[in-house]
Amino acid sequence: MDWSIIEGLVLGTVLVAIGDGLVIPKMKEFGLKYPGHPMPRLVFTWAPLEASFVLSLFGILTGLSAPAGQGSVNVPILVGANVLRIVATLVTAAGLGAASGWLIPRRTKVVFNGQQTFTGSPVEAFLMVLAIALAAYGLGAGERGNELVPMGFSPGSMFQPELLVIVTGTFFGAVADRAVLREVEAILGGVWVFGQLILFSMLGSRTTTTILPKLHSVLPVIAVGLVFRCLGIFLATFLTLRLRGCPCASCLRGRRTHAIQDALFCFLSTVPRATIQGALGGVPLAERFFQHSHRKHEAQEFTFTAARLYIVCMSVVGMVVLNTLGPRLLEATAKRPP
């Protein structure tokens, strides 16, 4: 494929992200089954951070991809707008998440006409968190030109909606009382069972069997991506041995003993792909990216097709492999140094 750098970056950004909607619930399950094991918690933290990075990068690339209707691009203004968007998103989400994390555990202290306003039940806390997450998403949502909080000097919203929700949840978890957080997580785990049905039914409805004959053109992309992902994870695992836990020689030796299994578990956890690919895969086609390229239709169609094939292939194969080998790797490394 004789693609430009921007076309390749958009394709890579759409396809690279871990399937957080699949992996996070599985890490929660592994964490309960293997309490105290650091790997499920590591991947549990890793998944939303990677999703946040990908969403932020895709927002930057959108302005550089010459979508239909966009005038001439002033690169300094575009870069400044995206930096401002990320900073505004992080600051607003931090304030919203921290405020909700402090207020929700103390809601039972609110009294009106001598009556306690809130019951203090776990479901009540969960619904409050859900409402805050929806409000956060609404701040950044809106069609082009109809944003709730427009940037002003550049097209688009002041906030990145998905990143705003993720960071809001992160700060809520950091500030909220542990007891309230456990209650919310327990209810969310039950709700997510039905959430997965809705999410993946919607993803499946956008996928047809007509794309399967094109699998041969996507398999090399999958193979190269997985090879470099694996190499990167193994390299990062060995380079960070001294940074993860006690630095004494005995503990370092123990972590080195389990390093291969830990790296393999992390790699297997990144194989499932679904949510980001479903969310971003159709955007280049819908917004008609790459207007200055003579291969624009090819790039738009291939990105959309590759995203759907990633969902079909890697969500199924990835979860089967993770469910099969993940518990074995965790059991093999259960006894480990701090």
Side-chain angles (χ1 to χ4, degrees):
M1 295 186 293
D2 184 23
W3 286 21
S4 68
I5 293 176
I6 291 297
E7 290 166 343
L9 285 173
V10 169
L11 176 65
T13 303
V14 169
L15 301 182
V16 72
I18 184 174
D20 53 338
L22 292 170
V23 173
I24 290 177
K26 181 56 61 176
M27 292 304 114
K28 183 69 175 175
E29 177 186 325
F30 285 160
L32 295 174
K33 188 175 181 180
Y34 304 97
H37 201 298
M39 287 299 107
R41 186 64 185 177
L42 174 64
V43 178
F44 186 89
T45 306
W46 169 354
L49 290 176
E50 183 169 306
S52 300
F53 171 75
V54 167
L55 291 168
S56 301
L57 180 59
F58 188 81
I60 295 172
L61 292 174
T62 296
L64 298 173
S65 300
Q70 176 177 285
S72 59
V73 177
N74 186 316
V75 175
I77 291 180
L78 178 64
V79 172
N82 280 286
V83 170
L84 177 60
R85 178 177 293 113
I86 293 172
V87 172
T89 299
L90 294 176
V91 171
T92 303
L96 189 60
S100 59
W102 187 85
L103 290 170
I104 288 176
R106 294 166 173 80
R107 66 190 182 280
T108 54
K109 297 180 180 180
V110 178
V111 177
F112 183 74
N113 286 337
Q115 299 292 323
Q116 182 176 306
T117 305
F118 299 103
T119 64
S121 68
V123 174
E124 185 180 71
F126 169 75
L127 292 175
M128 286 182 169
V129 173
L130 180 61
I132 291 167
L134 291 172
Y137 187 85
L139 286 174
E143 298 293 332
R144 185 181 295 270
N146 294 307
E147 299 87 355
L148 182 63
V149 185
M151 179 69 68
F153 65 92
S154 180
S157 172
M158 177 66 74
F159 305 112
Q160 212 291 330
E162 294 86 359
L163 181 60
L164 192 62
V165 174
I166 291 171
V167 178
T168 297
T170 300
F171 275 84
F172 171 81
V175 175
D177 294 343
R178 299 300 97 184
V180 172
L181 188 59
R182 284 193 294 270
E183 292 171 352
V184 171
E185 287 180 345
I187 295 174
L188 182 60
V191 172
W192 181 240
V193 173
F194 299 97
Q196 288 181 93
L197 297 177
I198 297 172
L199 171 63
F200 297 115
S201 295
M202 292 175 63
L203 292 176
S205 67
R206 301 174 63 186
T207 304
T208 63
T209 55
T210 58
I211 64 173
L212 295 179
K214 302 176 183 178
L215 181 60
H216 69 279
S217 62
V218 179
L219 282 177
V221 178
I222 295 176
V224 172
L226 290 179
V227 167
F228 279 93
R229 167 78 79 163
C230 184
L231 292 175
I233 288 174
F234 271 80
L235 181 62
T237 300
F238 281 94
L239 289 179
T240 59
L241 283 174
R242 295 182 178 276
L243 304 177
R244 293 185 281 114
C246 176
C248 74
S250 176
C251 293
L252 184 60
R253 194 181 311 113
R255 285 197 297 276
R256 190 175 287 114
T257 302
H258 298 309
I260 293 178
Q261 293 98 320
D262 289 347
L264 184 57
F265 177 81
C266 290
F267 170 68
L268 294 179
S269 299
T270 67
V271 174
R273 313 282 169 89
T275 41
I276 297 296
Q277 289 71 33
L280 302 182
V283 174
L285 182 63
E287 298 192 9
R288 293 180 289 164
F289 279 16
F290 321 124
Q291 289 300 304
H292 301 317
S293 171
H294 66 278
R295 295 178 302 273
K296 58 186 177 183
H297 297 299
E298 175 192 348
Q300 294 165 4
E301 290 288 349
F302 185 83
T303 302
F304 187 38
T305 300
R308 289 182 291 169
L309 285 171
Y310 256 65
I311 295 171
V312 171
C313 298
M314 300 187 71
S315 62
V316 176
V317 175
M319 289 307 295
V320 169
V321 173
L322 182 59
N323 281 321
T324 303
L325 299 181
R328 298 181 184 181
L329 291 169
L330 293 176
E331 288 174 3
T333 58
K335 296 181 179 178
R336 54 196 300 131

